[in-house]
Amino acid sequence: MIINCKGNYICGTSARSLGIGSIVTSYGYTIMERYELDPQVLKTLFGLEGKVGDAAFEKLVPFLDLRQAKRKIIIRDAGAVENESRFLVEGLIGMYYTGKLSRLYFPGDVFMDFESYQTQIPSKYHFKALGDSVYISLSYLNEELLLKEIPDFTDFSKSQIAKVRNADFEWHAFTQMNYRDKIRVIEEKFPSFKYDLTNKEKASLLGVSYATAARIKSFPKIRKVSRENKQLEKLLNYPFPAYVHNDAAEIEDLSVSWAINFHSIFRNNEEVDYYKKQKLSYLSSSLYPEIDFERGVWISKLYLWLFYLDDITDSLPVGQKVNFWSYLLDGIEAIINEKQLEHIPSRILVYLNAFMDLAKEFKVMVAYSKDLMDLVFSEVLLYLKYNKAESEHKDRGHPPTLEEYRNSRPYFSGGNLALALCSFESVDKFKSDGADWLGTEQLRQLGARLIYLSNDLISYNKEASQGDFMNIITLLMHHKKMDFTTAQQSILDEHTAVLEEFMKLDRNWRDEFRPENNGMLKYLKQIKYKVAGSVHWSLSISSRYKMP
């Protein structure tokens, strides 16, 4: 199979250098006469100087077609059997699945449905020219004849099949990029990208919503990780990057204004200054760096509310913590189930009114989707339930068993809730991605473990100084009689083992690119954002876990 070649070989090669005459067809593209394909140009184009002789290339030309496709022309429809491989010389080609743009092909790439080509079954995808394009076509029948008549190309054909597989792997890596990095990669190869694609196509390709795609006006530099704790930076090293939402500062302003002007959550200016100094709203911007602006503001308000509840709990005297969470849990259950609130202290009513506002806004934003409301509200209740259980241990001054802690920590750490809100990120696609969401259960479980293990490693010193025993390192020292160094190393080893298991599952989805797996790949990237983002925020942005 004469497919693919190194992209650098096509630089400076134009369609005009391959032939001058043409025949216009009724399909919207042009077929250039075979005899006008120049063997020497082909040799350079395919990167075969010194590997295949001139005589072989002279024989090759009659097997090839040189075609030109105008922008927006469909090259092959879904449902048709793939009957040719196509080497892209100039332009940009899009692969579509169920009408959505799933992949791009640039000059030097081969665009084809490899599975349909090999099995001769109908293809699920269609190809469309996104810019005026020129490509070389080799039909399925001509390939068989060519390899029989010109054996010199047999080894090359096998090597190119391997390159197509590698291109699939590289596109998988592209799917896991932040959308701003994706834009830069595309624009380097196709500068008119943002003009030639519709917002719908951009949204599908970049893995963001239509609203985010429409909002994109410029592409400032992404905030990268710059750790302050160099030791933990090395110990908690992830093979995927962390990012911060491009509108993090504006999101913070709006969430703080909501807390002050609509619900009086902050009791004084000192609390407002504390919230801003710790950059608490930047946690949500680190966990959801690609979320729509409006949804990003909603999650920021939710996290402000959660942080405040957590800080109030720490400030309450021993003996009152459980009562605080009991009132909250009863009140939130009533709000979610649309029942009357009863016997609520006035200050706690402030927090419940704020949640009532959040719940009402959430329902509207998800268009009253029962699946989404049930999923997110159930996780909120579990968060409250396990925070109440944590408070019971603190009120009694009795540490939980290691098993109790491990079972409850993903809930009261907020890890499970953060991961569940991936569904809110995908609100307009969640219904169609339902099966993909279920398929991420093991990934989410591992992600939640990584989040709480890394958080316990980062927060240990501060919590130990405050006498807080709700930390896995402290509990190992208590129950297993380990010293600090041994306990810390045990958790670091566990974190490494969980990360290896997570990355093993990650690799399972990168064997071969299939557009029908886009939903799973989207959730996989979002889960990675939660894992890397929580560490990035804790070490590089907030002062929450720094010793005074």
Side-chain angles (χ1 to χ4, degrees):
M1 185 180 299
I2 311 302
I3 54 177
N4 212 353
C5 81
K6 295 180 180 177
N8 58 307
Y9 283 108
I10 63 94
C11 293
T13 302
S14 68
R16 187 171 297 174
S17 70
L18 297 173
I20 53 174
S22 62
I23 304 172
V24 179
T25 74
S26 61
Y27 296 101
Y29 54 74
T30 301
I31 300 180
M32 299 185 181
E33 296 173 350
R34 291 182 189 142
Y35 62 82
E36 292 176 349
L37 286 164
D38 188 323
Q40 293 302 317
V41 173
L42 288 175
K43 185 183 289 190
T44 302
L45 195 64
F46 294 150
L48 292 177
E49 298 96 329
K51 298 178 182 178
V52 179
D54 292 345
F57 266 95
E58 293 287 349
K59 295 178 182 178
L60 170 65
V61 171
F63 291 94
L64 304 177
D65 286 322
L66 183 62
R67 297 180 176 176
Q68 185 178 25
K70 296 296 184 182
R71 182 170 176 261
K72 295 187 177 181
I73 290 299
I74 302 295
I75 294 172
R76 181 185 55 70
D77 281 313
V81 173
E82 185 66 276
N83 59 10
E84 61 183 8
S85 59
R86 311 169 193 85
F87 177 86
L88 186 58
V89 178
E90 291 183 355
L92 184 70
I93 303 296
M95 172 192 276
Y96 290 74
Y97 175 64
T98 63
K100 298 176 182 177
L101 179 60
S102 298
R103 181 173 180 173
L104 295 179
Y105 295 87
F106 300 98
D109 291 339
V110 167
F111 62 100
M112 62 185 296
D113 182 344
F114 191 66
E115 181 182 21
S116 176
Y117 188 87
Q118 283 195 316
T119 62
Q120 290 296 282
I121 62 175
S123 174
K124 302 173 185 175
Y125 326 121
H126 78 263
F127 293 104
K128 183 169 76 172
L130 299 175
D132 290 347
S133 303
V134 176
Y135 62 93
I136 298 170
S137 170
L138 174 66
S139 72
Y140 183 85
L141 294 177
N142 275 356
E143 181 202 1
E144 293 182 333
L145 293 172
L146 185 153
L147 294 180
K148 287 179 181 179
E149 295 185 22
I150 319 176
D152 296 36
F153 286 102
T154 301
D155 290 341
F156 175 67
S157 175
K158 293 178 180 178
S159 71
Q160 299 311 295
I161 292 173
K163 287 184 179 181
V164 169
R165 295 295 191 188
N166 184 63
D168 283 352
F169 184 84
E170 291 177 350
W171 191 259
H172 269 293
F174 179 86
T175 68
Q176 299 303 289
M177 286 181 175
N178 182 276
Y179 78 92
R180 290 164 286 182
D181 280 339
K182 288 180 180 179
I183 290 170
R184 289 181 178 84
V185 168
I186 296 170
E187 287 192 323
E188 285 176 4
K189 297 185 177 184
F190 201 77
S192 62
F193 155 74
K194 61 189 175 202
Y195 305 108
D196 287 355
L197 297 188
T198 66
N199 285 332
K200 181 179 179 181
E201 287 172 326
K202 291 178 196 171
S204 176
L205 183 67
L206 299 176
V208 298
S209 71
Y210 181 93
T212 295
R215 186 179 171 84
I216 295 171
K217 301 299 182 185
S218 61
F219 314 110
K221 293 182 179 180
I222 300 173
R223 297 168 181 257
K224 294 285 188 178
V225 178
S226 60
R227 312 252 192 234
E228 293 184 7
N229 190 322
K230 298 298 182 182
Q231 181 182 8
L232 281 176
E233 173 189 2
K234 295 177 181 178
L235 297 176
L236 298 176
N237 185 32
Y238 296 118
F240 40 85
Y243 298 94
V244 178
H245 199 287
N246 201 48
D247 300 309
E250 186 177 355
I251 287 172
E252 178 185 52
D253 289 342
L254 290 172
S255 59
V256 171
S257 175
W258 172 81
I260 296 173
N261 298 315
F262 290 82
H263 293 288
S264 301
I265 291 177
F266 296 125
R267 290 172 293 189
N268 49 53
N269 289 334
E270 183 179 348
E271 288 187 348
V272 175
D273 292 341
Y274 171 81
Y275 177 88
K276 289 186 173 182
K277 182 179 180 180
Q278 288 201 343
K279 293 188 177 294
L280 299 184
S281 70
Y282 277 71
L283 175 58
S284 63
S285 289
S286 299
L287 299 180
Y288 309 90
E290 290 188 324
I291 196 169
D292 285 359
F293 180 78
E294 289 76 12
R295 293 174 199 164
V297 172
W298 184 89
I299 286 187
S300 179
K301 292 188 292 188
L302 174 68
Y303 271 74
L304 183 156
W305 182 77
L306 294 174
F307 269 124
Y308 198 85
L309 298 182
D310 187 59
D311 287 339
I312 286 293
T313 304
D314 290 340
S315 68
L316 289 172
V318 171
Q320 291 186 349
K321 300 178 190 294
V322 173
N323 286 341
F324 177 77
W325 285 98
S326 292
Y327 280 122
L328 284 171
L329 182 57
D330 291 344
I332 299 302
E333 282 183 329
I335 292 170
I336 289 174
N337 296 318
E338 299 182 353
K339 294 182 179 179
Q340 186 71 31
L341 295 176
E342 296 180 359
H343 311 298
I344 303 295
S346 59
R347 183 59 191 165
I348 290 178
L349 195 58
V350 171
Y351 310 137
L352 295 181
N353 283 334
F355 182 80
M356 192 180 300
D357 189 13
L358 288 169
K360 181 179 179 181
E361 188 177 2
F362 176 81
K363 292 176 182 179
V364 173
M365 295 179 82
V366 302
Y368 293 88
S369 166
K370 186 176 186 305
D371 289 341
L372 275 169
M373 290 191 298
D374 289 347
L375 173 62
V376 172
F377 287 152
S378 65
E379 285 295 338
V380 169
L381 290 174
L382 285 168
Y383 175 85
L384 295 167
K385 172 185 173 182
Y386 282 98
N387 268 279
K388 178 183 175 183
E390 181 196 23
S391 293
E392 289 173 351
H393 286 289
K394 290 184 175 181
D395 274 352
R396 295 199 311 265
H398 190 275
T401 66
L402 286 168
E403 183 180 8
E404 287 174 327
Y405 183 83
R406 288 184 180 280
N407 289 336
S408 61
R409 183 64 170 133
Y411 294 100
F412 75 80
S413 69
N416 279 3
L417 178 58
L419 292 165
L421 284 167
C422 289
S423 62
F424 180 57
E425 282 187 272
S426 308
V427 61
D428 51 353
K429 297 180 180 179
F430 183 71
K431 187 173 182 180
S432 61
D433 288 342
D436 295 319
W437 172 258
L438 294 175
T440 65
E441 182 176 3
Q442 190 175 0
L443 284 164
R444 284 182 277 125
Q445 289 175 351
L446 293 171
R449 284 182 66 188
L450 289 171
I451 289 171
Y452 92 71
L453 289 172
S454 62
N455 182 260
D456 280 10
L457 285 162
I458 293 168
S459 64
Y460 169 78
N461 286 333
K462 184 173 184 179
E463 290 171 348
S465 70
Q466 297 173 342
D468 188 346
F469 50 71
M470 296 299 283
N471 184 293
I472 190 65
I473 296 175
T474 303
L475 293 174
L476 282 175
M477 295 168 66
H478 174 77
H479 290 296
K480 300 292 185 179
K481 308 305 179 185
M482 294 180 178
D483 58 38
F484 166 73
T485 302
T486 304
Q488 183 192 51
Q489 189 59 53
S490 174
I491 298 307
L492 284 168
D493 292 343
E494 180 180 347
H495 180 274
T496 298
V498 175
L499 179 59
E500 288 177 357
E501 190 176 353
F502 182 91
M503 294 310 298
K504 182 179 179 180
L505 287 178
D506 172 70
R507 288 190 293 272
N508 288 343
W509 291 100
R510 297 190 302 181
D511 288 341
E512 183 177 358
F513 177 77
R514 295 175 181 273
E516 56 265 41
N517 292 337
N518 275 345
M520 177 64 76
L521 294 172
K522 172 192 65 180
Y523 286 124
L524 175 61
K525 181 174 70 169
Q526 291 174 354
I527 293 168
K528 290 175 183 175
Y529 281 154
K530 311 300 176 284
V531 173
S534 62
V535 171
H536 173 46
W537 177 81
S538 300
L539 293 178
S540 304
I541 296 177
S542 179
S543 60
R544 188 170 182 82
Y545 300 117
K546 293 178 182 177
M547 295 292 290

